[in-house]
Amino acid sequence: MLWLSLLTAASALRVVVATPIAKFGDFAVKHAWAESPQGWELHSDAPADHILSLRIGLKQSRIEELKAHLLEVSDPFHSRYGQHLSKEEVEDFVKPRPESVELVESWLIAHGIDPESAITRSPAGDWLNLRVPVSLVEKMLDTKYNVFRHRESENLVVRTMSYSLPRELHDHVQVITPTTMFGGLRGMKKTSFLNPKPAPESLIEGTPFAGQAGQAVPTSCNNAVTTSCLQALYGTTNYVPTATANNSIGIAGYLEEFANAADLQTFLKKFRPAAAGATFPVVEINGGLNTQSDPGVEANLDIQTTVGLTFPTPNTYFSTGGSPPFIADSNTPTDTNEPYDQWVAFILAQTHIPGVISTSYGDDEQTVPLDFAESVCNSFAQVGARGTSLLFSSGDDGVGAGNCLTNDGTNKKLFQPNFPASCPFVTTVGGTTKVNPEVAVSFSGGGFSRVFAQPSYQASAVKTFLTALGKTNAGLFNTTGRAYPDVAAQGNNFQIVVGGSIESVGGTSASCPTVSSVIALLNDFRLSNGKSTLGFLNPLLYANPSALNDITSGSNPGCGTNGFTARAGWDPVTGLGSPNFPKLQTVALAAP
Ligand SMILES: *[C@@H]1O[C@H](CO)[C@@H](O)[C@H](O)[C@H]1NC(C)=O
Ligand SMILES: *[C@@H]1O[C@H](CO)[C@@H](O)[C@H](O)[C@H]1NC(C)=O
């Protein structure tokens, strides 16, 4: 017995010896920044014994097949429309090749890391999680970590300006975090519209006019947007959800934005009395909290909008932690990974995912490393393949905030697209304002990705726009990139309750939960007619532009230009337009 155990130990040791570290000594850069990401400055050296929660994303064996499949089951003209995949079926597409696992494990062993005991894996095996001190990660990735400080928030993170991988691993590793992703994530809420003096209550009525969906819209909705304004404008007033046992909507929250339960009650009593008493569970992810004493404007805007519009459909709030302040003088292990990455990993590990999820957060696309952006966007494609619609705000800076200079060292002025808005596997929501007529709101984020190619589902709509645009803004944007937004909705003067009192807020943060709610009601309608949830929406929407209210005036200035102008058909200010629920019901019922 004694000999046997000694023998086992010896053979384990031999494995380590058999993979000399020299084998992995030829490094090639995986990702590098030309300059410190905007808003961040070098603070100090990273403590050598600071523990990083390293996440290694392996190349997913059949991710291109999965994307092709997703486009088919989302195409209303395809015979397999609506045939969503199970958790296990998606995992089969994204599991890494055995040789990738083997090679990466031997690299870890060469660094003294035991793949059996030191690693946890995602259900598909495509993500390896391990906790490693900075000193060791610096050797593994041939890099130097530092503490960086965010000038505005004073948050500290441990990151690197570049990282490398042994040459033989490049074909097997998609991304490693935390490395060069700094996480400039922000809520798509215009705080400048926070108005301590709410619209007088007399405003929240007025003489109604006939809205685009055939329901009477109070003229007060021009200045004060309430649940009943949105219901009337988009035509959901008379719809009563019935598939509430199988249907639900989720709201993703980050940055310690907490949705307040008492504020929701105050809001519902005032603006949606029939829904008074409605509650929502909070799912805490990656150390996310639910601090009821600290109501967030963004979180309250999101949950009050969705509960108000979708009641009695179940609503779930996801509170995701991540990128917490790193205490520079402490070596306490701190989780410093990226919020989207953590959130989507959690979602994909669930057996049941809400049919639609609204997210009102984003970054400038150029601040997100390409390998990271691709990885997150691929994960969103997986969520879509499970039958969930992911909606994101398009951003609140028109075609770009500030001077719009590139960060690749060339300092060129270019329009600045947002991510995840620019991921082709999400539905991106721009903003409108006023109701008679509904026009583009000037901050509505819109534009063209500089990293993601234009998907075929939007090619014809975008081409028509570009032809009409001519030479305007030529050279400032990428005509072959994924174009957004896809749709739009009211994005200003929302009357919400924060800390017990009514506030008036705006932002595409308001537009996104509005459209998400309409989609949740459409899912209810499909489910109650024995059909599947809609899943990834864009191919269906672009194939049925007349089911949206085309917005044809207004523009989204930015970068010192007039931006783009809304016009008939798709445009990069309001997309295809705002939802028309009765028309969308017809489309949803006609689809297989
Ligand atoms: C929910 O789905 C299950 C299985 O698909 C079905 O049997 C049941 O009738 C549905 N319930 C409702 C209320 O739609
Ligand atoms: C335009 O987008 C494509 C993806 O379609 C990308 O490969 C290319 O680098 C982008 N060009 C510019 C100038 O941003």
Side-chain angles (χ1 to χ4, degrees), residues 138-264:
E138 287 182 340
K139 289 198 192 85
M140 294 164 67
L141 305 181
D142 191 27
T143 185
K144 172 91 187 76
Y145 276 83
N146 282 291
V147 179
F148 290 84
R149 178 177 169 279
H150 191 253
R151 285 190 201 93
E152 222 170 275
S153 66
E154 301 189 349
N155 279 352
L156 300 174
V157 297
V158 176
R159 292 291 185 277
T160 170
M161 288 293 289
S162 78
Y163 76 106
S164 299
L165 280 177
R167 226 169 263 284
E168 55 268 59
L169 293 188
H170 278 252
D171 284 343
H172 302 275
V173 173
Q174 164 63 30
V175 67
I176 296 186
T177 73
T179 49
T180 52
M181 171 67 187
F182 279 62
L185 183 76
R186 60 182 189 276
M188 293 304 169
K189 159 184 61 74
K190 276 289 201 197
T191 41
S192 55
F193 285 91
L194 248 178
N195 180 358
K197 291 210 168 32
E201 283 183 32
S202 58
L203 264 182
I204 307 174
E205 285 176 13
T207 318
F209 70 96
Q212 47 223 11
Q215 295 179 3
V217 181
T219 41
S220 63
C221 300
N222 275 310
N223 306 307
V225 175
T226 60
T227 303
S228 38
C229 288
L230 298 171
Q231 288 176 307
L233 192 61
Y234 301 136
T236 68
T237 308
N238 302 318
Y239 185 78
V240 181
T242 55
T244 52
N246 288 348
N247 190 34
S248 72
I249 175 171
I251 296 94
Y254 299 96
L255 305 177
E256 310 202 309
E257 277 283 341
F258 306 120
N260 190 271
D263 282 343
L264 176 64

Side-chain angles (χ1 to χ4, degrees), residues 412 414 449-454 477-482:
K412 269 203 313 232
L414 288 182
S449 175
R450 298 215 304 272
V451 301
F452 294 105
Q454 203 163 92
F477 68 99
N478 187 1
T479 54
T480 65
R482 170 345 187 205

